[in-house]
Amino acid sequence: MATSNMPQIGQIVRVNRGRESGSYAVIIGVVDQRYVWIADGGKRKSDAPKKKNVIHLELLPAISSEVADSMMTTGRVTNGKLRFALTKYADHESAKAQEKGE
């Protein structure tokens, strides 16, 4: 489980500031305590990630093991894997919301 102050590779985030505000992305690189590289596999491809300040992101508790494993073994991740991770997270959240009756 990720702590709220230290971002991890493969962690799913929600963008709170900037042009992509409200969208979801995956951390594909950690620069330092303040900055991370994010991509979503759609508009923001893995070969052109966005450098983002962590205070502009909501770090979600979900971590995509597929993305984390790919980054650890090969140092890169496919856009398809990023899209898959975000779709899987969205499906999980909607199922949880339906259980609660929202």
Side-chain angles (χ1 to χ4, degrees):
M1 189 60 65
T3 54
S4 60
N5 60 354
M6 195 59 207
Q8 294 182 329
I9 290 177
Q11 187 168 9
I12 296 175
V13 297
R14 197 168 81 124
V15 181
N16 292 331
R17 295 276 188 285
R19 186 177 296 164
E20 296 160 348
S21 181
S23 65
Y24 291 88
V26 182
I27 295 175
I28 62 168
V30 178
V31 178
D32 53 31
Q33 293 254 201
R34 279 185 68 176
Y35 292 98
V36 295
W37 293 100
I38 63 169
D40 65 8
K43 285 184 186 158
R44 181 63 63 183
K45 305 284 190 206
S46 64
D47 56 355
K50 174 84 175 151
K51 186 177 181 183
K52 234 15 196 164
N53 191 325
V54 175
I55 61 172
H56 295 164
L57 300 172
E58 179 186 342
L59 299 175
L60 301 171
I63 294 177
S64 168
S65 57
E66 292 94 352
V67 173
D69 292 345
S70 181
M71 289 302 290
M72 295 304 168
T73 54
T74 64
R76 55 189 313 273
V77 64
T78 63
N79 293 313
K81 245 180 214 166
L82 292 171
R83 288 191 303 269
F84 173 76
L86 292 171
T87 303
K88 193 166 134 183
Y89 174 75
D91 291 348
H92 176 72
E93 287 301 300
S94 66
K96 219 163 53 170
Q98 280 185 341
E99 277 179 24
K100 286 182 181 174
E102 291 178 10

